[in-house]
Amino acid sequence: MDKTSSKKGCLFILSAPSGTGKSTLCRRILSRFPQLHYSVSFTTRPPRTGEKKGKDYHFISKDEFEQMIREDRWAEWAEVHGHYYGTSAELLENKLAAGCDVLLDIDVNGARQIVKQFSESVPIFIMPPSMETLRQRLENRSSDPPEVIEKRLKAAEQEIACRHEYRHVIVNDDLDETVENLAALIEKYRRSKTT
Ligand code: ADP
Ligand code: 5GP
């Protein structure tokens, strides 16, 4: 069933391999569009240093996550890098029904599930300039041990192979330029919704 309606807000989906710069881009975009609502995901992975409960993620247990699967309370969910991640159906639908524009930062599997339900959603894939640059960004971020970085790089190749499923593909080379491109795209869709 298509849950998109022209009366509702715009739903933007950002996907990218881990380390591409999605969180950095989200922060920059959200400070530029204060009316854009960031959908805080739920995850069973432990918080990274500096991450805040309820702001970066809602951190929950595996049992709680699986209970919500049984109760059919996820708009989408996926297992990514060995942990569960999901978007609450209730929180997402309430925000859209209230006319808010919403930004989702979710993986390729999650994006597929959202596009199926919300045909007017805007899926955007962010690409790293190269695999070498992706490795450098993951290493510079210093948040993952080497074996985790290797896993993320392997997964990145599979994720990049799915980029054709997205309506827009943007390469995050120069950060300021990427922010401008992304902001222009968001602006375009928001304008078309109100005219
Ligand atoms: P993601 O959320 O996709 O996993 P992050 O936003 O954590 O990625 O970015 C990974 C690292 O790359 C961070 O150290 C960030 O500062 C850096 N970074 C992000 N975008 C760029 C860019 N365009 N150029 C250089 N470094 C970047
Ligand atoms: P990280 O652990 O680096 O924050 O995120 C790992 C991956 O999980 C990223 O690709 C991110 O987009 C994805 N992710 C984060 N939240 C969700 C979610 O709610 N659903 C899905 N399907 N993926 C998510």
Side-chain angles (χ1 to χ4, degrees):
M1 191 196 29
D2 188 2
K3 295 180 181 163
T4 319
S5 143
S6 51
K7 288 198 194 101
K8 293 179 180 174
C10 297
L11 179 53
F12 298 99
I13 306 171
L14 280 194
S15 300
S18 179
T20 302
K22 214 165 1 87
S23 316
T24 310
L25 287 168
C26 282
R27 275 196 298 275
R28 293 276 295 265
I29 287 295
L30 290 166
S31 68
R32 186 118 158 203
F33 296 96
Q35 57 293 63
L36 185 60
H37 171 80
Y38 179 69
S39 162
V40 179
S41 294
F42 290 71
T43 185
T44 58
R45 87 149 159 72
R48 293 195 186 116
T49 314
E51 280 185 334
K52 293 196 179 67
K53 275 188 207 163
K55 184 167 181 283
D56 297 289
Y57 281 105
H58 299 291
F59 297 98
I60 62 173
S61 70
K62 202 167 169 234
D63 282 351
E64 287 171 301
F65 200 103
E66 288 175 344
Q67 178 69 27
M68 283 180 72
I69 297 176
R70 285 191 293 274
E71 292 171 359
D72 200 19
R73 288 170 59 197
W74 297 119
E76 62 74 33
W77 66 273
E79 211 172 332
V80 190
H81 310 311
H83 298 287
Y84 286 130
Y85 293 81
T87 304
S88 153
E90 188 185 353
L91 295 182
L92 177 61
E93 285 172 28
N94 285 349
K95 281 290 169 192
L96 290 172
C100 292
D101 297 327
V102 178
L103 179 63
L104 293 180
D105 162 353
I106 59 176
D107 87 321
V108 170
N109 286 315
R112 265 186 212 127
Q113 297 169 50
I114 293 290
V115 169
K116 249 192 214 153
Q117 299 168 68
F118 301 87
S119 66
E120 284 179 29
S121 58
V122 185
I124 306 166
F125 193 84
I126 310 291
M127 286 274 291
S130 67
M131 292 306 285
E132 193 41 46
T133 308
L134 182 61
R135 176 186 289 279
Q136 278 163 14
R137 287 184 189 168
L138 283 167
E139 287 172 358
N140 293 346
R141 186 168 68 181
S142 316
S143 62
D144 301 305
E147 65 276 13
V148 172
I149 290 183
E150 291 312 318
K151 255 199 204 159
R152 288 183 181 234
L153 285 168
K154 268 234 158 67
E157 286 173 11
Q158 290 165 10
E159 290 163 313
I160 289 170
C162 301
R163 68 187 182 282
H164 304 291
E165 297 177 26
Y166 286 72
R167 208 185 290 184
H168 301 279
V169 177
I170 295 180
V171 179
N172 180 22
D173 192 351
D174 177 81
L175 183 59
D176 289 336
E177 214 172 280
T178 311
V179 172
E180 289 311 316
N181 289 339
L182 200 50
L185 203 57
I186 290 173
E187 198 59 71
K188 185 183 100 174
Y189 281 101
R190 294 185 69 226
R191 262 203 316 270
S192 71
K193 204 81 178 180
T194 52
T195 51

